[in-house]
Amino acid sequence: MTQKKPVKFPAKALTSVDALVAHGVVAPDAGASLRQVEENFSIRLTPETFRQMRSLDVHDPVFVQYVPSTDELHVGDGELTDPIGDEAFQKIKGITHRYPDRVLLKPTHTCQVYCRFCFRREKVGQADEALNQDEVTAALDYIAQTPAIWEVILSGGDPFILSDRRLAMILDRLGQMEHVEVIRFHTRIPVVDPGRITDDLIATLKRKAAVYIVIHINHPNELTDAVKTGLARLVDAGIPLLSQTVLLKGVNNDVEILAKLMRDLVRARVKPYYLHHLDKAKGTGHFRCSVEEGQKLMQALRGRLSGLCQPTYVLDIPGGHGKVPIGPVYLTPDGEESYIVRDYLGGSHTYRD
Ligand SMILES: *Cc1c(COP(=O)(O)O)cnc(C)c1O
Ligand code: SF4
C-alpha cells in the first residue's frame, strides 16, 4: 500500500477505506483486506493530520498512526480487548474509579481521529457506547456522592468532541461539588483539529476549579503552526498544558525524535507528563517496543535534555492495577544502607544512606 503520489487534499475528515482509496491515500488493491480491519476498528483522519504528513506511506510517522494496516488483523500474545482493566473499575456507565482520589469520566466514545494503536480501540467510534443525558447525570451523581474524589479526568473518546453547551453543563455540575478541586481533560483534539480551540471553548473551560489539559502527541511533525497557535491560546488563557506520548515503533522510538518532540513541547509551554509503554490492545503488535528499548531511550534523554523536557515512562499494568513508572532504574541496593547509583552517562557511584 505504499503510494507516494500527492493526495487530493481532503476538505473534511476521511472515515472509511473507500474514502481513503478515493483520495489516493491507499492503493485500490489494498482496499479489500483493509475492509476487514474496518469491520473491527473505526477509521477517521482529519484534514489537519494530512497537513502533518510529509509522504503518504508507512514510513511517515503521522500516516502510520491513522491509516489502517492489515497488521491489525494479527492478534498477538496477551493482547486484550480491555488491556488496562477499565471494565473492572467501571462503577457505573462512563465512570472508571480505580484510584481513590480521582476518576475517569467518559461521556463520549467518539474521537476526531482513530489512532491505530488506541488502548480503547474496540470501544471508540461505537455510537452505543456514548452516554445519554440520564447516564451523564447518573455519572455526575456518583461523583457528587463520593467525597474522596478530588480530581475528575474527562477522557473518552475525546471530551472536546462534546459541544460547548454539553461541556458547560458537565463543568457547571462539577463546579457545584466542593470536593472536586481539579478537572483534567485528556484530549487529542488540539493536535488533530486545532480549529476547535475557539474563544467560546476557552470561555467554557475557565472555571473556579483548576482546569488542566493533557494533550496526546507522538511526533514533532504534529506540532504545526496551527497546532502551536491553539496551544498558545490555551496557555495564554491560564490553562496549564501537559502532554502524553505513546512509545511507538516506527513513529518515535528514536532518541533524536523524542528529544525534539519534548523540547518543541516545552518551547510551546507544554510540560511533558507521561511516555506510555504501549498497552496490549488487539492488533497493535506492529507498534510495540520492548521495555528495555524504552528504558534506553529514557536514559538517553536524561542529562541530555533539560529536566523540564523529561516525561515519566509508565506502564499501565494489565488487569487494572494502575500506572507505574518503569525506569530506567538508577539506584540498586548494595549491602546495608548502601546503594550503587548510576549517572546519566552510565558511570557507577556508591551512595551511603
Ligand atoms: C490513567 C488513569 C488515571 C490518571 O492517572 P494519573 O497517574 O493521575 O495521570 C486515573 N484513573 C484511571 C482509571 C486511569 O486509567
Ligand atoms: S484520540 Fe485517544 S481515545 Fe481516540 S483513538 Fe486516539 S488514542 Fe484512542
Side-chain angles (χ1 to χ4, degrees):
M1 74 183 222
T2 299
Q3 216 189 32
K4 296 197 179 178
K5 275 186 288 170
V7 250
K8 200 163 82 191
F9 195 86
K12 57 184 178 57
L14 304 186
T15 60
S16 66
V17 171
D18 285 343
L20 292 173
V21 171
H23 283 80
V25 181
V26 299
D29 58 354
S33 48
L34 290 181
R35 276 186 198 93
Q36 235 180 304
V37 177
E38 186 172 29
E39 279 171 27
N40 297 307
F41 308 118
S42 310
I43 294 171
R44 194 176 160 95
L45 298 85
T46 55
E48 177 63 25
T49 61
F50 285 98
R51 277 181 210 109
Q52 297 168 1
M53 291 179 204
R54 306 283 160 91
S55 68
L56 289 180
D57 64 60
V58 295
H59 303 295
D60 185 89
V62 176
F63 180 99
V64 285
Q65 293 188 59
Y66 308 112
V67 177
S69 148
T70 50
D71 288 339
E72 294 170 49
L73 297 170
H74 176 78
V75 177
D77 238 16
E79 288 181 354
L80 306 166
T81 297
D82 176 23
I84 65 171
D86 272 354
E87 309 262 290
F89 291 87
Q90 171 148 328
K91 297 298 159 163
I92 54 169
K93 195 170 172 188
I95 293 273
T96 306
H97 195 181
R98 178 188 290 151
Y99 305 107
D101 75 328
R102 54 210 192 277
V103 282
L104 293 190
L105 170 58
K106 296 176 286 185
T108 174
H109 277 80
T110 307
C111 301
Q112 273 295 357
V113 290
Y114 291 114
C115 311
R116 308 322 299 166
F117 47 84
C118 175
F119 65 114
R120 294 202 185 105
R121 60 196 319 240
E122 289 181 86
K123 289 239 155 129
V124 292
Q126 308 295 325
D128 55 328
E129 295 285 347
L131 268 56
N132 64 33
Q133 196 50 56
D134 288 345
E135 289 166 334
V136 171
T137 302
L140 290 166
D141 288 344
Y142 174 86
I143 298 170
Q145 290 152 14
T146 314
I149 298 171
W150 172 81
E151 179 183 24
V152 174
I153 303 167
L154 279 115
S155 167
D158 198 311
F160 284 170
I161 279 282
L162 301 178
S163 66
D164 293 341
R165 191 183 56 79
R166 287 196 71 199
L167 279 175
M169 194 212 65
I170 292 172
L171 294 174
D172 287 346
R173 179 84 202 277
L174 292 174
Q176 292 159 10
M177 304 175 198
E178 262 174 38
H179 57 285
V180 176
E181 296 188 36
V182 176
I183 299 168
R184 187 196 323 176
F185 287 87
H186 278 207
T187 174
R188 193 131 166 76
I189 282 182
V191 173
V192 299
D193 183 21
R196 175 73 182 94
I197 313 301
T198 58
D199 290 342
D200 284 348
L201 174 67
I202 289 171
T204 305
L205 295 175
K206 294 282 273 184
R207 296 283 151 173
K208 200 153 90 274
V211 172
Y212 283 72
I213 297 176
V214 182
I215 64 164
H216 171 184
I217 183 164
N218 301 319
H219 192 281
N221 291 1
E222 292 169 62
L223 272 175
T224 58
D225 287 343
V227 170
K228 285 192 233 174
T229 301
L231 298 176
R233 296 177 71 191
L234 290 166
V235 183
D236 288 345
I239 301 172
L241 298 185
L242 303 165
S243 64
Q244 52 181 345
T245 295
V246 183
L247 180 61
L248 296 166
K249 188 155 96 186
V251 175
N252 58 21
N253 61 330
D254 175 282
V255 67
E256 300 299 333
I257 290 170
L258 280 179
K260 179 157 176 41
L261 174 61
M262 301 309 160
R263 278 197 170 142
D264 289 355
L265 283 167
V266 170
R267 178 64 191 85
R269 295 178 288 166
V270 180
K271 169 73 187 93
Y273 179 50
Y274 280 158
L275 176 69
H276 291 273
H277 190 70
L278 182 64
D279 293 317
K280 289 199 164 183
K282 283 186 188 166
T284 58
H286 52 299
F287 285 115
R288 190 155 294 114
C289 299
S290 66
V291 170
E292 188 185 354
E293 182 177 7
Q295 291 182 334
K296 286 208 173 110
L297 288 165
M298 285 300 298
Q299 194 184 337
L301 294 183
R302 174 66 55 189
R304 209 189 124 121
L305 285 190
S306 159
L308 287 179
C309 302
Q310 308 286 337
T312 303
Y313 180 38
V314 293
L315 172 72
D316 214 319
I317 307 169
H321 305 286
K323 293 180 191 70
V324 285
I326 53 170
V329 175
Y330 292 94
L331 195 68
T332 39
D334 180 42
E336 283 280 298
E337 294 177 358
S338 178
Y339 296 92
I340 304 286
V341 198
R342 207 155 36 95
D343 63 40
Y344 74 97
L345 297 170
S348 290
H349 311 272
T350 299
Y351 179 79
R352 293 202 189 286
D353 214 4

